[in-house]
């Protein structure tokens, strides 16, 4: 159940998220989007003047909370999984009549002792019973939402390679795969289902298979399944090739990130050696079109999002299982760090914005850079790229930038004020969550690839998942696993999985991308020094810091 401090948070805040925007908010949105908003309780009919603006008509369905019925949560999760690329079943061999079924039969408790249901939905169970529930039989295949939810959350209690080992053991035991005289009719009914389960695992959680123990178990089981049957051999080959391809692409991406980071470090070193070169190149000299820059930022965002595995959200908050005295599951062997790399990108963009603003010598040029980034942020909002939007706002709100009062006096800040209003953290980012719901609704009803883009403010998404994990116990007082919690966790992660599948529709500009990824970015101290050099210290404390920074930073040049 919820801890007291988080129970009160959910009760107070979540209903607020579900309410429709007030008149003042609607006025702000209309001004920001350049479109006429419909009256409340009417379908979203927009008269946009400059596509692809973000339509923020609210869905009549309220934001589900953890207190909704499990049936509602399961239906929502299943609908999101419907929007994700699906593993096709083996035609003619796997009966998928109940594959999309979101309700469990209560008689399952008789088949799997240790599973407990509430309103026909799985609510809790022992780890062993949940593992048994994952393994197909002659007349049973696990529900798709259960497969995703259990594979996602099980790593809180058991290493993936241990789970794979148990699954392989159960499959061979139940299907008597080690017995040459095993019933061939039975094998023909169960083998496609087991291969289907393994295919879903390798496609949705491929990073698990960076562990040699996982691959060893997988090869052993698939070898037994495909023995003597060409159809199954072909299916196993396709599954293996797909897995290898995904892992190869990940390795190439990681190598590319290393090269990009190395190039950025080299350029920063060169800038420190010749600081006068800083005035010779900036983003505006490469591209002065805010929409184009916003498009290229979206390219970077979507590429980095696409490599984040769903399990990385769970890995980020793994704690020691209270019933396990020896290990902390998965925290010692992370198979990917794409989530951290994405957070690093947010920080880089914030510091890049601050660097671009603080570098120019002339006040007029600094004001022009600020207004340019305001326009870029607005275009990011229109696209549905909330992460870049927030990074830009964060960069402009950094102290070395915000203290430039003479510069800001030359800036038309009306648009910036509206953007800040949209990303206002008060009421747990109510305005942003309203806009996010609008972007999500637009994505669902999209008529073009541009309208499908939803890039959330990632740090807030992580915080929401963290609060869910910390505010709700993973195990009940009787020691059973609290599966109600993991339905909610899977619901949040599956929404992200849908967003990250979108391909960027904009044309790439290699020159702009290269600059955004590798341009020199100042540290906070270097930003303060550049800020003081542009507009002198205003008080004794700033003067002392200026002198200190000059003596430490400039002496290194």
């Amino acid at each position: 159940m919820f801890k007291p401090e988080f129970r009160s948070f959910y009760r107070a805040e979540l209903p607020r998220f579900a309410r429709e925007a007030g008149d003042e908010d609607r006025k702000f949105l209309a001004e920001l989007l350049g479109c006429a908003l419909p009256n409340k309780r009417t379908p979203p009919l927009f008269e946009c003047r400059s596509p692809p603006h973000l339509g923020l008509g609210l869905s009549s369905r309220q934001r589900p909370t953890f207190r909704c019925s499990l049936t509602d949560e399961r239906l929502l999760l299943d609908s999101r999984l419907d929007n994700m690329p699906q593993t096709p079943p083996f035609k003619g061999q796997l009966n998928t009549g109940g594959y999309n079924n979101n309700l469990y039969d209560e008689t399952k408790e008789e088949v799997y002792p240790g599973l407990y249901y509430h309103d026909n939905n799985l609510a809790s169970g022992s780890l062993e019973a949940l593992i048994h529930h994952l393994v197909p039989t002659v007349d049973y295949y696990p529900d798709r939402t259960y497969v995703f939810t259990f594979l996602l959350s099980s790593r809180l209690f058991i290493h993936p390679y241990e789970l794979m080992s148990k699954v392989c053991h159960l499959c061979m035991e139940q299907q008597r795969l080690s017995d040459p005289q095993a019933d061939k009719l039975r094998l023909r009914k169960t083998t496609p289902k087991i291969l289907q389960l393994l295919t879903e695992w390798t496609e949705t959680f491929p990073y698990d298979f960076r562990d040699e123990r996982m691959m060893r178990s997988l090869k052993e089981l698939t070898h037994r399944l495909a023995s003597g049957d060409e159809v199954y051999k072909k299916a196993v080959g396709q599954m293996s090739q797909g897995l290898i391809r995904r892992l190869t692409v990940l390795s190439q991406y990681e190598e590319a990130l290393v090269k990009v980071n190395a190039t950025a470090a080299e350029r920063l070193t060169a800038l420190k050696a010749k600081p006068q070169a800083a005035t010779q190149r900036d983003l505006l000299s490469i591209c002065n079109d805010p929409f184009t820059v916003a498009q290229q930022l979206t390219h970077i965002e979507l590429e980095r999002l696409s490599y984040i595995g769903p399990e990385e959200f769970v890995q980020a908050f793994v704690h020691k299982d209270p019933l396990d005295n020896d290990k902390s599951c998965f925290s010692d062997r992370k198979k990917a760090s794409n989530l951290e790399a994405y957070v690093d990108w947010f920080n880089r963009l914030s510091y890049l914005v601050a660097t671009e603003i603080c570098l120019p010598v002339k006040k007029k040029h600094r004001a022009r850079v600020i207004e340019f980034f305001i326009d870029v942020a607005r275009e990011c909002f229109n696209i549905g790229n909330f992460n870049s939007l927030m990074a830009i706002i964060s960069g402009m709100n950094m102290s070395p930038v915000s203290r430039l009062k003479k510069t800001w006096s030359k800036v038309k800040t009306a648009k910036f004020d509206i953007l800040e209003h949209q990303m206002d953290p008060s009421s747990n980012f109510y305005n942003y969550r309203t806009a996010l719901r609008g972007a999500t609704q637009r994505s669902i009803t999209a008529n073009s690839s541009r309208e499908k883009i939803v890039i959330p403010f990632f740090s807030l998404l992580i915080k929401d998942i963290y609060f869910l994990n910390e505010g709700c116990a993973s195990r009940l007082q009787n020691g059973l696993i609290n599966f109600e919690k993991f339905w909610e966790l899977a619901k949040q992660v599956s929404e992200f999985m849908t967003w990250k599948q979108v391909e960027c529709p904009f044309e790439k500009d290699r020159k702009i991308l290269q600059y955004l990824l590798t341009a020199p970015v100042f540290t906070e101290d270097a930003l303060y020094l550049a800020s003081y050099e542009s507009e002198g210290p205003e008080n004794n404390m700033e003067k002392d810091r200026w002198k200190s920074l000059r003596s430490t930073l400039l002496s290194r040049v």
Side-chain angles (χ1 to χ4, degrees):
M1 61 179 62
F2 287 116
K3 295 178 182 177
E5 60 270 30
F6 292 108
R7 187 188 302 117
S8 60
F9 164 79
Y10 274 90
R11 287 179 177 172
E13 295 298 334
L14 286 179
R16 189 195 304 260
F17 304 158
R19 290 200 297 266
E20 294 185 348
D23 293 337
E24 182 180 357
D25 289 318
R26 296 168 63 81
K27 182 179 178 181
F28 269 108
L29 294 178
E31 180 179 355
L32 179 62
L33 301 176
C35 63
L37 294 182
N39 294 327
K40 295 182 180 180
R41 301 185 184 87
T42 60
L45 300 174
F46 293 93
E47 300 173 356
C48 298
R49 292 195 290 267
S50 54
H53 284 316
L54 173 59
L56 296 179
L58 295 180
S59 168
S60 60
R61 180 176 59 190
Q62 290 186 333
R63 174 182 173 87
T65 73
F66 194 74
R67 299 192 306 277
C68 289
S69 72
L70 285 176
T71 301
D72 292 340
E73 299 291 355
R74 294 287 310 287
L75 289 173
L76 181 58
L77 174 56
D78 194 61
S79 68
R80 285 172 180 166
L81 290 175
D82 282 336
N83 293 326
M84 292 168 54
Q86 295 300 322
T87 304
F90 296 101
K91 294 182 179 179
Q93 301 178 57
L94 176 58
N95 180 8
T96 60
Y99 190 61
N100 293 324
N101 181 24
N102 281 313
L103 298 178
Y104 288 108
D105 186 348
E106 291 186 3
T107 59
K108 287 289 191 301
E109 189 170 356
E110 300 175 4
V111 181
Y112 300 107
L115 294 182
Y116 298 90
Y117 293 80
H118 178 69
D119 293 336
N120 289 342
N121 285 275
L122 180 60
S124 63
S126 67
L127 180 59
E128 289 301 318
L130 292 169
I131 294 173
H132 274 80
H133 201 46
L134 180 70
V135 178
T137 63
V138 173
D139 55 0
Y140 165 73
Y141 187 83
D143 182 87
R144 172 179 48 195
T145 56
Y146 177 78
V147 172
F148 177 77
T149 302
F150 184 67
L151 291 180
L152 175 69
S153 58
S154 61
R155 60 202 70 232
L156 288 170
F157 312 99
I158 183 173
H159 287 277
Y161 78 87
E162 293 176 317
L163 176 60
M164 173 61 80
S165 178
K166 288 180 177 292
V167 168
C168 291
H169 176 74
L170 286 173
C171 288
M172 289 188 284
E173 184 181 68
Q174 291 180 7
Q175 318 312 329
R176 299 194 297 275
L177 293 175
S178 59
D179 182 4
Q181 305 301 320
D183 185 353
K184 292 185 178 181
L185 179 59
R186 180 185 181 88
L187 291 178
R188 282 199 297 270
K189 290 183 177 180
T190 57
T191 297
K193 296 179 181 180
I194 297 173
L195 289 176
Q196 178 78 9
L197 175 63
L198 295 176
T199 302
E200 291 191 43
W201 196 337
T202 58
E203 289 187 350
T204 309
F205 300 92
Y207 304 161
D208 286 351
F209 294 86
R210 281 186 149 185
D211 191 321
E212 292 181 0
R213 294 164 293 190
M214 287 284 292
M215 292 297 290
R216 191 160 51 242
S217 295
L218 178 66
K219 289 177 181 178
E220 180 183 356
L221 179 56
T222 53
H223 174 74
R224 292 180 183 273
L225 291 171
S227 180
D229 191 305
E230 292 301 322
V231 175
Y232 299 152
K233 283 183 180 179
K234 182 178 179 181
V236 168
Q238 292 174 342
M239 178 184 67
S240 301
Q241 290 173 8
L243 175 59
I244 292 173
R245 183 170 58 252
R246 292 182 189 89
L247 295 180
T248 300
V249 170
L250 173 62
S251 296
Q252 293 171 344
Y253 168 71
E254 290 173 339
E255 292 172 2
L257 280 186
V258 171
K259 291 180 181 178
V260 165
N261 293 336
T263 302
E266 291 173 2
R267 292 189 175 182
L268 180 59
T269 301
L271 177 62
K272 290 179 179 179
K274 296 181 179 180
Q276 66 275 12
T279 60
Q280 299 174 8
R281 181 169 179 166
D282 57 19
L283 181 57
L284 275 171
S285 67
I286 295 175
C287 178
N288 59 6
D289 178 20
F291 186 47
T292 301
V293 173
Q295 290 178 332
Q296 302 313 304
L297 289 173
T298 303
H299 263 295
I300 297 173
E301 299 278 356
L302 286 175
E303 180 188 44
R304 301 208 171 189
L305 275 182
S306 69
Y307 286 98
I308 298 175
E311 73 280 2
E312 293 190 58
F313 291 99
V314 177
Q315 291 168 210
F317 310 124
V318 165
H319 297 294
K320 188 173 182 179
D321 186 347
L323 298 188
D324 191 331
N325 296 322
D326 300 322
K327 63 196 175 191
S328 175
C329 292
F330 217 3
S331 59
D332 57 336
R333 297 187 191 88
K334 295 183 66 175
K335 306 306 174 194
S337 300
N338 302 306
L339 188 148
E340 290 85 346
Y342 190 52
V343 173
D344 289 342
W345 155 248
F346 178 94
N347 293 332
R348 171 181 168 76
L349 180 55
S350 295
Y351 274 84
L352 176 62
V353 169
T355 301
E356 293 280 320
I357 294 172
C358 290
L359 272 180
V361 175
K362 294 183 178 180
K363 175 173 56 179
K364 182 178 180 181
H365 190 186
R366 291 195 299 273
R368 182 182 170 212
V369 173
I370 290 176
E371 291 183 341
F372 175 75
F373 276 115
I374 291 173
D375 289 337
V376 172
R378 178 190 174 102
E379 295 299 342
C380 286
F381 183 93
N382 292 339
I383 290 171
N385 181 357
F386 297 104
N387 201 56
S388 290
L389 163 64
M390 193 61 180
I392 293 171
I393 292 177
S394 298
M396 288 193 286
N397 279 326
M398 292 179 68
S399 295
V401 176
S402 61
R403 66 168 299 277
L404 298 173
K405 297 179 181 179
K406 295 179 181 178
T407 302
W408 279 99
S409 68
K410 301 294 183 181
V411 175
K412 298 177 181 178
T413 60
K415 289 184 289 186
F416 183 64
D417 293 340
I418 296 173
L419 290 171
E420 279 197 312
H421 174 80
Q422 285 306 310
M423 305 307 287
D424 183 359
S426 63
S427 299
N428 198 11
F429 288 89
Y430 169 72
N431 293 336
Y432 159 72
R433 294 181 191 274
T434 301
L436 181 64
R437 286 199 302 274
T440 302
Q441 183 62 32
R442 181 189 68 176
S443 178
I444 294 172
T445 60
N447 295 317
S448 68
S449 56
R450 293 189 177 191
E451 295 176 339
K452 292 181 180 179
I453 297 173
V454 181
I455 303 174
F457 173 27
F458 198 65
S459 296
L460 186 59
L461 174 63
I462 294 175
K463 189 198 81 170
D464 288 344
I465 295 176
Y466 173 80
F467 278 173
L468 170 62
N469 186 61
E470 291 297 305
C472 191
S474 296
R475 286 190 185 269
L476 303 177
Q477 292 182 350
N478 58 12
L480 296 178
I481 291 174
N482 180 9
F483 218 74
E484 290 182 338
K485 167 183 175 176
F486 297 120
W487 288 130
E488 174 70 13
L489 176 64
K491 184 190 68 155
Q492 292 196 20
V493 175
S494 66
E495 184 173 43
F496 166 80
M497 293 289 287
T498 301
W499 294 334
K500 80 165 195 164
Q501 302 293 342
V502 176
E503 293 186 8
C504 190
F506 307 120
E507 184 178 350
K508 282 187 176 182
D509 188 311
R510 300 290 179 183
K511 192 174 182 180
I512 299 175
L513 289 172
Q514 182 74 2
Y515 186 87
L516 291 172
L517 291 169
T518 64
V521 172
F522 281 2
T523 63
E524 186 174 4
D525 284 345
L527 285 173
Y528 268 111
L529 178 59
S531 179
Y532 291 142
E533 296 289 341
S534 298
E535 295 187 19
E538 296 184 349
N539 52 54
N540 291 331
M541 185 175 68
E542 287 191 347
K543 289 180 181 178
D544 292 340
R545 184 168 190 181
W546 182 33
K547 292 177 183 178
S548 175
L549 291 173
R550 285 181 63 88
S551 63
T552 54
L553 296 180
L554 297 182
S555 62
R556 299 173 188 170
V557 178

